[in-house]
Amino acid sequence: MATIITVSNQKGGVGKTTTSAALATGLYLAGKSVLGIDLDPQGNLGFCMGMQSGASYTVLDALKGIVPIREVIQPTNYGDILPSDITLSNGLNVSGKRECILRDTIAPVLNQYDYMIIDTPPALNLLTINAYTVSDFLIIPMGSDILSLVGLSQLKETIDSVKSGLNPRLQVLGILLTKFSSRTILSRDVLEMAEQLAGQIDSVVFDTKIRNGVAIAEAPAHGESIFEYDPRSKAVQDYQDFLSEIAGKIHLGEVK
């Protein structure tokens, strides 16, 4: 049975897709079987995982039941991907229990992977609710600026709502600060406020903070994971430390 981790924040530009890709590729390079699930209409997760070409079908086709999930899954350089594109922005016009569509869609392949990593849109919409409903763990990346704090109270309400009804096992692993510089007063102030917010959602701020690094942006253009493209980059080293940190939290080193 796959362990499912969702990376989510309703604010864009906080490193959500980069973090999702780092988790997926890092786990794959550690020898795990991984399925990336792209629920963001921008469709960048597949690109970051090294998907070579456009897909015939997307995650929306699977969610609508147009084709079986196995026909939608595409291989990449670093595991498999349920790809997305802009058509997903039209929403899930489906019948039934709409918050559980993703759960039902991935059920046939749950036992084929060690981990599933879900990248969500920058919104608290039905796609995000579906991700929370199927997930074991939630990671919240947050930029080291004041605007990144805006809306986290609404995120708390959404998490509480899902835990109280749809998925009581959902656990917030922590808040991951990105674009962090320990030398600036702003980053230190955001860290303090993030720690207060983490306490409100019964979680923590990860010890690891992600610094800025050009390698993070360059790696996908070269079809490589950040870990292989420039392992000496400070930001890449931070993501490696992050993987080690969450390994201690959810035992990523053990085959489920």
Side-chain angles (χ1 to χ4, degrees), residues 136-162:
D136 300 295
F137 302 105
L138 175 64
I139 293 171
I140 305 169
M142 193 177 83
S144 299
D145 59 82
I146 298 300
L147 290 179
S148 291
L149 296 168
V150 177
L152 283 186
S153 60
Q154 184 184 1
L155 180 62
K156 176 185 182 301
E157 293 175 3
T158 303
I159 293 169
D160 288 344
S161 177
V162 170

Side-chain angles (χ1 to χ4, degrees), residues 208-250:
T208 307
K209 315 296 187 296
I210 309 299
R211 291 166 287 184
N212 283 314
V214 67
I216 300 295
E218 290 178 345
H222 293 267
E224 296 184 57
S225 79
I226 61 172
F227 304 109
E228 294 181 322
Y229 176 71
D230 187 1
R232 294 175 297 179
S233 162
K234 290 181 179 179
V236 173
Q237 292 173 4
D238 292 340
Y239 269 114
Q240 190 65 64
D241 290 342
F242 173 61
L243 284 170
S244 297
E245 184 175 354
I246 62 174
K249 292 179 178 290
I250 59 174

Side-chain angles (χ1 to χ4, degrees), residues 16-38:
K16 181 173 52 60
T17 298
T18 298
T19 300
S20 299
L23 282 170
T25 59
L27 285 166
Y28 177 84
L29 291 171
K32 306 303 179 184
S33 57
V34 181
L35 175 66
I37 301 176
D38 196 348

Side-chain angles (χ1 to χ4, degrees), residues 1-250:
M1 183 74 70
T3 296
I4 305 176
I5 305 172
T6 282
V7 181
S8 178
N9 191 323
Q10 73 267 39
K11 188 180 184 304
V14 297
K16 181 173 52 60
T17 298
T18 298
T19 300
S20 299
L23 282 170
T25 59
L27 285 166
Y28 177 84
L29 291 171
K32 306 303 179 184
S33 57
V34 181
L35 175 66
I37 301 176
D38 196 348
L39 293 185
D40 189 340
Q42 296 180 77
N44 290 329
L45 182 58
F47 180 64
C48 290
M49 291 176 64
M51 191 170 72
Q52 297 297 316
S53 60
S56 300
Y57 300 108
T58 71
V59 64
L60 184 60
D61 296 308
L63 292 170
K64 287 186 172 182
I66 295 173
V67 291
I69 185 174
R70 291 185 176 88
E71 293 185 27
V72 182
I73 293 173
Q74 298 289 314
T76 80
N77 294 338
Y78 303 100
D80 292 344
I81 182 77
L82 266 177
S84 175
D85 64 17
I86 194 63
T87 59
L88 192 59
S89 62
N90 295 327
L92 289 177
N93 298 317
V94 293
S95 58
K97 195 168 184 180
R98 302 171 73 220
E99 301 89 350
C100 300
I101 295 167
L102 180 62
R103 181 195 65 189
D104 297 338
T105 300
I106 66 175
V109 296
L110 267 179
N111 291 324
Q112 295 181 18
Y113 296 95
D114 296 321
Y115 296 94
M116 294 183 177
I117 307 300
I118 306 177
D119 188 20
T120 54
L124 293 177
N125 57 18
L126 184 59
L127 292 167
T128 305
I129 298 299
N130 267 266
Y132 291 5
T133 299
V134 301
S135 293
D136 300 295
F137 302 105
L138 175 64
I139 293 171
I140 305 169
M142 193 177 83
S144 299
D145 59 82
I146 298 300
L147 290 179
S148 291
L149 296 168
V150 177
L152 283 186
S153 60
Q154 184 184 1
L155 180 62
K156 176 185 182 301
E157 293 175 3
T158 303
I159 293 169
D160 288 344
S161 177
V162 170
K163 290 182 69 172
S164 65
L166 295 165
N167 182 11
R169 77 178 187 282
L170 179 64
Q171 178 181 342
V172 183
L173 273 184
I175 295 174
L176 176 66
L177 289 181
T178 62
K179 304 176 183 178
F180 188 81
S181 174
S182 60
R183 294 173 295 180
T184 67
I185 295 174
L186 177 59
S187 286
R188 295 196 295 269
D189 287 345
V190 170
L191 171 58
E192 183 178 345
M193 289 182 280
E195 288 172 338
Q196 295 174 2
L197 289 166
Q200 296 174 18
I201 56 176
D202 194 26
S203 188
V204 297
V205 176
F206 287 106
D207 292 335
T208 307
K209 315 296 187 296
I210 309 299
R211 291 166 287 184
N212 283 314
V214 67
I216 300 295
E218 290 178 345
H222 293 267
E224 296 184 57
S225 79
I226 61 172
F227 304 109
E228 294 181 322
Y229 176 71
D230 187 1
R232 294 175 297 179
S233 162
K234 290 181 179 179
V236 173
Q237 292 173 4
D238 292 340
Y239 269 114
Q240 190 65 64
D241 290 342
F242 173 61
L243 284 170
S244 297
E245 184 175 354
I246 62 174
K249 292 179 178 290
I250 59 174

